[in-house]
Amino acid sequence: MVKVTLVKSLIGRKKDHIATAHALGLRKIGKTVEHEVTPQINGMLNKINYLLKIEEV
């Protein structure tokens, strides 16, 4: 399980990076969600890791 928090703005980012953040359930700065670790989720986190704070739960 990982806890993911959006720490940087999505304004001005590439459309696919914004779509990835939305698919993870992150729409506003400071929003935190928890996800099970799967290859799909790992790929999404790696793609936009510069926007996120990621913690193991």
Side-chain angles (χ1 to χ4, degrees):
M1 204 69 159
V2 289
K3 187 186 288 187
V4 185
T5 305
L6 186 64
V7 294
K8 290 192 178 180
S9 173
L10 297 175
I11 296 171
R13 307 296 177 187
K14 293 180 177 179
K15 286 194 186 302
D16 60 324
H17 289 202
I18 294 170
T20 301
H22 287 184
L24 286 167
L26 301 168
R27 295 183 182 274
K28 294 183 176 181
I29 295 174
K31 174 76 174 166
T32 302
V33 293
E34 290 188 359
H35 286 286
E36 290 292 335
V37 179
T38 65
Q40 293 84 1
I41 295 295
N42 272 340
M44 295 167 87
L45 297 178
N46 288 338
K47 183 173 189 172
I48 60 169
N49 65 351
Y50 65 98
L51 298 172
L52 307 173
K53 183 173 99 181
I54 303 168
E55 305 169 25
E56 288 288 332
V57 176

